Amino acid sequence: MIIKQKDGTVLEMTPEEFAELGGVLGAPVKVDALAKGSSEVATVFKVGELFEVVCEFGYTSFAIGTIVRMVEGYKDSYSSNFEDVLTGKKRHLPYYTIKRHTPEVLSKANVEEGEYFVVTDTTSGHMFKIGDVIKSLNALNDDCFSAERIGNSYWWWAYILYTNVRRATAEEIAEATKLKEVKFEVGDVVESGGLFAKIFDDFDSGDEYHVGFFKNGCFSYLDESDMRHATDEEKSHLQTLIGREKDEYKIGDLVELLGGSCSGYSGRKGYIFEIDGTSGTRMHLKDNGNKPINMDTSVRPEELKLITPVEWRHDFVEKCN
């Protein structure tokens, strides 16, 4: 909060610091009273500025220590709208629950090996995701440092810019380093090094698995530390599992017709067809001889479900133009 004294001096302090100061002076002031405007308080907060939550405000508040950004919306003399810079969640907070946040400027001079940080940006193409907790390694350069990911996923390291991270809080470190039990079973779909695979067998050791990769059909062995479970979203699209874009189809793919915007195959929902061409964003379905001439046989990608990728077929020979 910003406190303006009678001589015009402007002080910035947390509610706790203000209450402590009041106790020293022998005239403690309740934060609630201060927030309601019974003391001279000048709020000069602006949209886009960063703040730190210093005390909670009922069940709708962010946790203490959360970094928030003021956003557009309802605003009055005592409160405004804020969003968590990591999750994007929005809350309406009184000004007495926050203090202005000045991010620490990280550099080679103040980052040491073994310290924990939270990823806040991905501009350097480092493979980490926003919100990941990482641990600095021994390579500290002028503009970046090497770090390893901490958490319940396979291990990797990468270089990351100092400007792409902030220091992790004690709570974030505790959560990231907490041992989490992960169980893999035969039939699970997993991801390792950007490729998706299915577990076919495990071993007595319990930490190594026999897997088959969707993209190339190759079989291999993976240690549990080198893989993670695929998400429900990833598993819902066969294209993702074989390394394509979510709605990417190729000539020769066998697909199921989910809807019927194409008049040529009206009423054929659930039938299996072969893609024999594309036109813009639409897929042409192969004529099986049961439709009238000059009827439309093209559909949108969202009306199809990939059943067998052309890469898996041994009976398909691409036509030469």
Side-chain angles (χ1 to χ4, degrees):
M1 61 179 60
I2 305 299
I3 300 175
K4 186 176 181 181
Q5 301 184 105
K6 291 183 178 179
D7 63 0
T9 303
V10 175
L11 302 176
E12 182 176 2
M13 60 181 67
T14 68
E16 289 80 2
E17 291 170 337
F18 184 82
E20 183 179 349
L21 176 62
V24 172
L25 297 176
V29 178
K30 291 184 178 181
V31 172
D32 287 343
L34 178 65
K36 293 177 181 177
S38 60
S39 183
E40 288 189 64
V41 180
T43 56
V44 291
F45 301 151
K46 298 179 180 179
V47 170
E49 291 185 322
L50 296 178
F51 302 89
E52 179 182 347
V53 177
V54 296
C55 64
E56 296 185 357
F57 174 65
Y59 68 93
T60 61
S61 178
F62 292 113
I64 294 175
T66 302
I67 305 303
V68 298
R69 179 186 294 108
M70 180 179 283
V71 295
E72 296 285 356
Y74 176 77
K75 179 180 180 182
D76 57 30
S77 301
Y78 314 110
S79 60
S80 187
N81 289 342
F82 297 86
E83 68 174 359
D84 186 324
V85 296
L86 289 182
T87 66
K89 293 182 178 179
K90 295 181 173 60
R91 298 284 190 273
H92 195 77
L93 301 177
Y95 296 135
Y96 74 83
T97 65
I98 61 172
K99 72 172 182 180
R100 195 182 304 278
H101 174 69
T102 302
E104 177 186 13
V105 179
L106 298 172
S107 67
K108 184 177 180 180
N110 59 9
V111 171
E112 298 181 359
E113 180 182 355
E115 293 186 312
Y116 293 89
F117 302 89
V118 176
V119 177
T120 58
D121 204 340
T122 58
T123 55
S124 58
H126 43 61
M127 291 179 61
F128 298 121
K129 296 179 181 179
I130 291 178
D132 279 352
V133 176
I134 60 176
K135 183 180 180 181
S136 58
L137 300 175
N138 57 1
L140 303 174
N141 300 322
D142 290 335
D143 58 352
C144 63
F145 65 98
S146 61
E148 62 178 342
R149 187 188 187 281
I150 304 298
N152 198 27
S153 182
Y154 62 87
W155 180 90
W156 79 76
W157 73 272
Y159 283 96
I160 186 170
L161 296 174
Y162 294 110
T163 53
N164 280 184
V165 300
R166 64 167 173 80
R167 290 193 186 276
T169 64
E171 292 77 11
E172 290 168 331
I173 296 173
E175 177 63 23
T177 56
K178 182 172 60 178
L179 292 177
K180 301 176 183 178
E181 184 180 5
V182 179
K183 293 184 178 180
F184 294 99
E185 298 179 350
V186 173
D188 285 351
V189 177
V190 298
E191 185 264 352
S192 178
L195 297 176
F196 292 91
K198 187 174 183 178
I199 296 177
F200 285 95
D201 197 7
D202 56 9
F203 297 90
D204 293 337
S205 63
D207 58 3
E208 191 175 24
Y209 299 85
H210 188 207
V211 304
F213 288 95
F214 286 94
K215 185 173 183 177
N216 53 24
C218 293
F219 290 88
S220 185
Y221 298 94
L222 287 177
D223 187 273
E224 64 178 11
S225 62
D226 295 328
M227 61 186 185
R228 66 169 176 84
H229 284 105
T231 66
D232 290 341
E233 173 65 18
E234 290 168 338
K235 290 186 292 186
S236 67
H237 296 278
L238 182 53
Q239 286 96 323
T240 301
L241 300 182
I242 62 175
R244 297 189 195 174
E245 294 298 322
K246 187 173 66 173
D247 290 325
E248 181 182 355
Y249 292 93
K250 295 183 178 181
I251 294 175
D253 284 346
L254 298 182
V255 297
E256 177 185 351
L257 183 62
L258 302 179
S261 66
C262 61
S263 56
Y265 292 134
S266 178
R268 299 294 181 86
K269 180 179 178 180
Y271 280 53
I272 305 300
F273 294 95
E274 178 183 318
I275 293 178
D276 68 348
T278 62
S279 177
T281 60
R282 297 178 71 88
M283 308 293 118
H284 288 274
L285 303 183
K286 187 175 182 180
D287 176 15
N288 60 7
N290 294 320
K291 73 169 188 63
I293 298 176
N294 299 325
M295 296 295 284
D296 180 24
T297 60
S298 65
V299 296
R300 299 187 301 270
E302 57 268 27
E303 297 178 297
L304 300 174
K305 178 181 179 181
L306 181 61
I307 301 298
T308 304
V310 65
E311 295 92 333
W312 293 2
R313 295 181 59 184
H314 300 287
D315 63 332
F316 179 81
V317 177
E318 189 171 2
K319 297 177 181 179
C320 297
N321 294 325

